[in-house]
Amino acid sequence: MEYHERPASFRQARLNPFDRGEEEEGGPPGGKTPPQDELRPELFSSASRSQSLDRAMDLGLAEDHFSRPVVPVQDSFVALDIEQLKMAIEECKRLILELPEHSERQKDTVVKLIHLRLKLQELKDPEEDEPNLRVLLEHRFSKEKSKSVKQTCDKCSTIIWGLIQTWYTCAGCYYRCHSKCLNLINKPCVRSKVSHQSEYELSICPEIGLDRQDYRCAECRTPVSLRGVPSEARQCDYTGQYYCSTCHWNDTAVIPARVIHNWEFEPRKVCRSSMRYLALMIPRPVLKLREVNPLLFNFVEELVEIRKLRQDILLMKPYFITCKEAMEARLLLQLHDRQHFVENNDMYSLQDLIDISSGRLSCSLTEIHTTFAKHIKLDCDRCQAKGFVCELCKEGDILFPFDSHTSVCHDCSAVFHRDCFYDNSTTCPKCARMTERKHDDPPYPKDT
């Protein structure tokens, strides 16, 4: 068999992954190599169209587009790789349009097109060595390692491709951004505002108007307009101010002022900074309902029920802190996520009010109340010994201050049946003994 040396022009044509002809199958019959100008019409003729499409399905695999590139020192080599990727992307787009709709081959080509575009983006914006921690404007940014979760940059409002881009998240307010956007951030961390100003805006949507804002975004000062030119003005229902589309993404949140004044829990549109502030403030017990809106207890029965349960828990607390068994069982830790329930009975968090409205808090708090009462009245002999006997009727079981059928003396904390003692209208025997003892005991002489 006679072998012929292939011309250089033919070998150069083989560099293009889309110009592969029948040579891969062992060359033309007779061992003769057709010239280059005769190859191209044959490659894209109608007779060989389907075979060309089949071979183009492996785009990127033969050219190793999916492995991490070793970027050469010469910029011309990098530019050459980018041009090849662009050519591969265009060919994939053409194949997608020509292949049958919803076919497996078309789906595979779409997947390859995505990978080629990701590879092109990686070459244009190569990953650099970034520090793991950055501190900017009280933000504590840490580099994220997740590659599969798709996020949106809070600075430029574009998608963060974790597979090929470095991105950071603030540990305080969960602000996310590209590494290239870090030095462009001009918004301080919202957690610092929570630390210095732990209170809500209690006026419902306190709007001041676009004219007072000089027709600019309240945060970044970008020109805005209700007509959307040059940028759409979006109102935050929490602050009442107007923001641009970069600072206001139409996120929704429950507004504390609407809850306190109207008992309304429908989420409203808020700007990004308000959304983060409300998310950080939602578990904080900063709402004193009896001062802000005391009439709310007259119209919301669930609030009255929760207030009674909280009052009972505060009456149970002295039993637990002096009981060894209760301390070992860590009963009070059942309220670890609502620590203010064992400290006072008048402070509420926004999360408390949301759970009261949905009924979740009533169920969980009733169950905890039952567990506490069972320990004091049935399980623990030491706690039972601290109970009371009604001194007015001297009948019935042992009484405890958190029982529903008892009354407590406000002066000496003695416990009686409710039918026997009516809010100090009846003389308390214990108070009478204490008063008589004071009169009988002689005063101590003063030191001379």
Side-chain angles (χ1 to χ4, degrees):
M1 180 180 295
E2 182 180 2
Y3 294 94
H4 297 272
E5 183 180 1
R6 296 171 181 172
S9 59
F10 182 82
R11 291 198 302 271
Q12 185 177 2
R14 289 293 310 279
L15 292 176
N16 192 329
F18 314 116
D19 292 339
R20 286 176 292 186
E22 297 295 331
E23 181 63 19
E24 294 181 354
E25 302 297 331
K32 295 183 180 181
T33 304
Q36 182 178 0
D37 53 355
E38 296 181 3
L39 281 174
R40 293 191 177 274
E42 181 182 355
L43 284 174
F44 297 97
S45 62
S46 58
S48 61
R49 172 71 67 178
S50 59
Q51 189 174 6
S52 177
L53 293 179
D54 291 338
R55 292 177 178 176
M57 290 300 294
D58 65 347
L59 291 174
L61 296 176
E63 297 299 327
D64 195 22
H65 291 304
F66 302 111
S67 63
R68 185 169 183 83
V70 179
V71 181
V73 179
Q74 294 84 353
D75 295 338
S76 59
F77 291 171
V78 178
L80 181 61
D81 291 339
I82 292 177
E83 290 301 322
Q84 290 178 351
L85 283 173
K86 287 182 178 179
M87 292 171 58
I89 288 172
E90 292 300 323
E91 183 67 14
C92 266
K93 292 165 64 176
R94 184 184 64 79
L95 291 175
I96 291 173
L97 296 177
E98 294 182 359
L99 289 171
E101 193 76 15
H102 304 298
S103 64
E104 291 298 326
R105 296 166 63 192
Q106 187 187 52
K107 293 178 182 179
D108 293 340
T109 310
V110 171
V111 173
K112 292 175 182 178
L113 175 62
I114 294 174
H115 283 279
L116 288 172
R117 283 178 168 172
L118 289 176
K119 191 56 113 180
L120 179 62
Q121 179 66 29
E122 185 177 3
L123 288 179
K124 289 183 177 179
D125 187 18
E127 182 179 359
E128 299 177 357
D129 293 334
E130 299 284 351
N132 292 328
L133 294 175
R134 295 283 298 273
V135 179
L136 295 170
L137 298 177
E138 300 188 13
H139 291 282
R140 297 184 61 84
F141 287 107
S142 59
K143 183 191 293 187
E144 293 292 343
K145 298 181 180 179
S146 175
K147 300 296 185 182
S148 59
V149 179
K150 185 174 72 172
Q151 303 288 352
T152 303
C153 178
D154 285 304
K155 176 58 184 176
C156 63
S157 304
T158 59
I159 295 177
I160 299 175
W161 297 99
L163 186 66
I164 58 175
Q165 291 177 321
T166 306
W167 57 291
Y168 287 81
T169 300
C170 175
C173 64
Y174 308 108
Y175 188 98
R176 301 182 182 91
C177 68
H178 297 99
S179 60
K180 61 183 180 181
C181 298
L182 272 179
N183 296 328
L184 304 177
I185 294 175
N186 53 11
K187 302 175 183 178
C189 183
V190 179
R191 183 171 288 276
S192 61
K193 179 181 177 181
V194 173
S195 302
H196 298 98
Q197 183 184 354
S198 295
E199 58 184 17
Y200 287 115
E201 171 61 58
L202 297 181
S203 299
I204 298 178
C205 195
E207 181 180 2
I208 61 174
L210 269 175
D211 56 338
R212 294 281 298 275
Q213 295 183 206
D214 196 22
Y215 293 91
R216 293 180 179 273
C217 173
E219 189 164 323
C220 68
R221 306 306 295 168
T222 301
V224 293
S225 171
L226 291 177
R227 296 182 177 180
V229 180
S231 179
E232 178 188 4
R234 299 177 179 178
Q235 186 179 30
C236 174
D237 195 82
Y238 176 70
T239 63
Q241 295 178 315
Y242 290 88
Y243 299 82
C244 65
S245 58
T246 303
C247 301
H248 194 313
W249 294 5
N250 287 329
D251 300 299
T252 59
V254 176
I255 307 301
R258 295 185 181 274
V259 173
I260 294 175
H261 296 295
N262 300 341
W263 199 243
E264 177 188 339
F265 294 89
E266 181 183 357
R268 303 282 181 149
K269 293 181 179 180
V270 295
C271 64
R272 295 291 291 176
S273 58
S274 295
M275 183 200 67
R276 293 193 185 90
Y277 180 76
L278 293 174
L280 293 175
M281 285 286 292
I282 195 171
R284 291 177 174 254
V286 297
L287 297 173
K288 199 167 186 177
L289 294 185
R290 287 194 299 181
E291 293 183 0
V292 180
N293 186 9
L295 295 178
L296 197 59
F297 290 91
N298 298 337
F299 298 96
V300 183
E301 296 179 359
E302 294 86 350
L303 276 176
V304 179
E305 179 186 359
I306 295 299
R307 181 175 61 180
K308 179 62 172 64
L309 291 173
R310 292 183 62 177
Q311 291 172 350
D312 290 348
I313 289 175
L314 288 179
L315 293 173
M316 296 176 184
K317 181 180 176 180
Y319 291 86
F320 294 146
I321 61 179
T322 57
C323 176
K324 181 180 179 181
E325 289 80 4
M327 297 298 290
E328 291 177 352
R330 299 186 176 184
L331 292 179
L332 289 177
L333 287 182
Q334 294 187 26
L335 290 169
H336 66 91
D337 55 340
R338 304 183 197 267
Q339 190 64 32
H340 53 286
F341 279 15
V342 296
E343 297 174 355
N344 57 72
N345 62 359
D346 56 353
M347 301 299 293
Y348 294 83
S349 68
L350 183 59
Q351 188 63 56
D352 294 337
L353 301 182
I354 295 174
D355 292 342
I356 290 173
S357 176
S358 64
R360 290 193 298 267
L361 182 57
S362 177
C363 296
S364 61
L365 201 58
T366 300
E367 183 178 352
I368 293 174
H369 181 279
T370 303
T371 303
F372 287 1
K374 181 175 179 292
H375 171 84
I376 296 174
K377 301 175 69 173
L378 299 176
D379 298 341
C380 182
D381 295 334
R382 184 175 300 178
C383 293
Q384 289 183 41
K386 298 177 183 178
F388 294 82
V389 176
C390 180
E391 297 187 42
L392 296 176
C393 68
K394 298 182 180 180
E395 296 179 357
D397 299 331
I398 299 176
L399 305 179
F400 294 91
F402 49 84
D403 288 333
S404 58
H405 61 284
T406 61
S407 294
V408 180
C409 176
H410 297 294
D411 296 327
C412 65
S413 300
V415 182
F416 307 92
H417 289 111
R418 180 172 296 174
D419 297 335
C420 302
F421 189 80
Y422 298 97
D423 297 331
N424 288 335
S425 59
T426 305
T427 302
C428 174
K430 184 176 180 180
C431 291
R433 290 196 305 269
M434 294 173 62
T435 303
E436 184 179 356
R437 190 179 299 118
K438 287 182 181 180
H439 289 300
D440 293 342
D441 293 341
Y444 291 101
K446 295 182 180 180
D447 296 335
T448 56

